Amino acid sequence: MNLTLEIFFLLLENRPMLNREIAERLDTNIRNVQRSIEKIESAFDQNISLSNYFNFKKDGRYHTVSQNLFLKEDEILLLIKILVSSRSLNKRELSHLIDKMVNMSGIENRKLVKASVTSELLSDIYIDDKSDRQKKLWELEQYIFNREKIEFEYTDHERLEKAETKKFEILPVHTFFDNYYFFLTGMEKQTHQYVTYRIDWMDKIEPIRVRLNIEHRERLDHGKEAEHNLYGYMGKRTHIYFEYYGYIGYIKDKFPNCRVIKRLDKPNRFPFSVNLIEIEVNYSDGVKLWLLGETTILRVVKPQAIADDIKKTLYDTYCLYNDDDDDL
């Protein structure tokens, strides 16, 4: 390889280097290094477009080259923190991805970034499933982009303890992440309905070469649809009205399109005003799980069917705690 190119790639380690160090690393003499450095400097002076992608810097006797398209250290740290706390990847996937992101930062800041997440990485914070979400997600996105229909085997562990594996044929249309897991939405061959599948429960994904008479709406806004679903569940669109006794900012973050109808003159054991709020959602087990998790500070007012559903589930839970059997 040309010595000038070798030096350029070496400087892309993104740390200041002396001519002497470069010469030792590439087994050459300092005079040759100086000539190559001058060529690199001249190339940056003559070709302005190079500066769009790289930054060549001289600081005294030190030289360095960094990539302008790389994320900055504070951006890298921010994304790693979010990635770790999402608990969306297994140990192998997360460790590999974090190492690559840390190495995108300047060498003088790598220890800082790594140290910032050391405690999380030492803990057992990884998702249990060992399947390769990264490759599956990329594969599925290629099918979606090329509008290819696929078949796959799917094991729904949520429905039965001894889960059955079934084969499905669908037109994949959208992938998304929600509450630890990655999902695929597709139109099913038999029903022509949109169905959601957990990606790590999919196996033996193959394109279908024969024509299937299923199409989806080209302009379906999947991002907008995702605002109305929770935890990967799909359901029927409805408006839910509830009294809220807590910090209203959490509701606005969870449901950006929520509507605060009015403040209610009601007593509250918490130091907040009581508000009547409306949300538009696809009511499903996911929405129900969220409502149940907020029952200490939330009371569903209508629709009555949903209020009754929540009350029945809470009563069934109450009965569990009144069970006289003690298994401990």
Side-chain angles (χ1 to χ4, degrees):
M1 184 187 293
N2 179 283
L3 179 62
T4 302
L5 277 177
E6 285 190 273
I7 292 174
F8 182 80
F9 289 134
L10 184 62
L11 291 175
L12 274 175
E13 289 185 2
N14 196 17
R15 66 181 182 87
M17 300 183 74
L18 291 164
N19 287 349
R20 173 176 47 78
E21 183 181 358
I22 297 171
E24 291 174 356
R25 289 279 297 273
L26 298 179
D27 194 22
T28 187
N29 59 59
I30 294 178
R31 186 181 294 275
N32 288 337
V33 171
Q34 288 173 333
R35 291 196 191 102
S36 293
I37 292 292
E38 289 172 0
K39 289 180 182 178
I40 292 173
E41 194 171 10
S42 175
F44 273 88
D45 290 338
Q46 296 175 18
N47 192 340
I48 299 176
S49 63
L50 271 176
S51 298
N52 293 331
Y53 303 96
F54 304 99
N55 180 34
F56 176 68
K57 185 178 179 181
K58 291 182 69 174
D59 185 6
R61 295 181 298 159
Y62 290 90
H63 317 289
T64 184
V65 175
S66 59
Q67 292 196 42
N68 290 336
L69 297 182
F70 270 12
L71 295 170
K72 296 178 181 178
E73 279 86 354
D74 54 351
E75 296 170 326
I76 292 169
L77 179 59
L78 181 71
L79 291 174
I80 290 177
K81 288 283 188 179
I82 294 172
L83 184 62
V84 170
S85 63
S86 75
R87 299 191 62 244
S88 57
L89 302 175
N90 60 42
K91 183 175 183 178
R92 175 183 51 79
E93 291 171 324
L94 185 61
S95 299
H96 175 70
L97 192 52
I98 287 178
D99 285 344
K100 292 187 73 172
M101 293 176 72
V102 168
N103 289 334
M104 289 171 65
S105 60
I107 197 164
E108 67 277 8
N109 288 318
R110 290 176 192 174
K111 288 183 178 180
L112 184 155
V113 175
K114 192 82 172 181
S116 178
V117 293
T118 295
S119 60
E120 289 99 326
L121 295 178
L122 289 175
S123 305
D124 188 15
I125 44 80
Y126 312 103
I127 195 170
D128 184 62
D129 190 274
K130 302 299 189 293
S131 64
D132 195 332
R133 274 155 293 275
Q134 185 175 326
K135 288 184 178 179
K136 280 185 182 178
L137 187 66
W138 180 249
E139 180 184 5
L140 290 169
E141 283 295 343
Q142 289 178 304
Y143 291 135
I144 292 170
F145 183 78
N146 295 319
R147 300 183 181 180
E148 291 187 78
K149 299 171 178 70
I150 61 172
E151 62 180 7
F152 56 91
E153 292 183 356
Y154 190 69
T155 308
D156 191 344
H157 297 278
E158 189 175 18
R159 301 299 176 190
L160 297 169
E161 185 172 356
K162 294 183 179 179
E164 298 178 357
T165 299
K166 297 181 180 180
K167 181 170 284 190
F168 291 91
E169 295 180 347
I170 69 166
L171 174 68
V173 296
H174 181 59
T175 62
F176 63 96
F177 171 79
D178 193 348
N179 196 45
Y180 308 132
Y181 309 116
F182 291 94
F183 296 90
L184 169 73
T185 297
M187 180 174 280
E188 210 170 38
K189 174 186 175 183
Q190 288 81 4
T191 64
H192 285 211
Q193 298 293 316
Y194 291 105
V195 183
T196 298
Y197 307 89
R198 238 180 83 171
I199 287 177
D200 49 335
W201 289 350
M202 298 172 64
D203 199 15
K204 298 181 181 177
I205 305 168
E206 298 288 344
I208 298 176
R209 302 304 178 188
V210 297
R211 176 172 174 77
L212 292 181
N213 187 28
I214 48 176
E215 299 294 337
H216 76 287
R217 289 174 285 163
E218 294 295 329
R219 297 188 181 278
L220 181 66
D221 190 339
H222 300 288
K224 197 72 176 174
E225 281 296 305
E227 291 181 8
H228 300 98
N229 296 324
L230 283 181
Y231 309 141
Y233 292 94
M234 301 179 73
K236 185 178 180 181
R237 184 67 55 85
T238 188
H239 291 255
I240 299 177
Y241 299 80
F242 57 83
E243 297 170 357
Y244 193 68
Y245 293 75
Y247 171 55
I248 202 169
Y250 289 146
I251 299 297
K252 292 179 177 178
D253 289 340
K254 191 72 174 177
F255 305 98
N257 295 321
C258 73
R259 188 164 70 97
V260 180
I261 298 174
K262 62 180 179 179
R263 182 173 295 182
L264 302 174
D265 184 17
K266 299 189 74 169
N268 190 359
R269 61 194 177 98
F270 302 105
F272 294 100
S273 300
V274 181
N275 291 279
L276 180 63
I277 297 176
E278 175 194 9
I279 58 173
E280 183 181 3
V281 293
N282 296 329
Y283 189 65
S284 65
D285 286 346
V287 176
K288 182 177 177 179
L289 283 170
W290 180 81
L291 290 171
L292 289 168
E294 300 290 317
T295 50
T296 58
I297 51 175
L298 178 154
R299 184 177 79 89
V300 176
V301 176
K302 62 178 184 178
Q304 189 60 47
I306 293 178
D308 290 342
D309 189 22
I310 297 299
K311 283 193 287 187
K312 182 182 182 305
T313 304
L314 290 173
Y315 178 74
D316 291 342
T317 303
Y318 170 77
C319 292
L320 284 176
Y321 281 92
N322 272 348
D323 193 336
D324 291 334
D325 292 338
D326 190 349
D327 295 328
L328 294 180

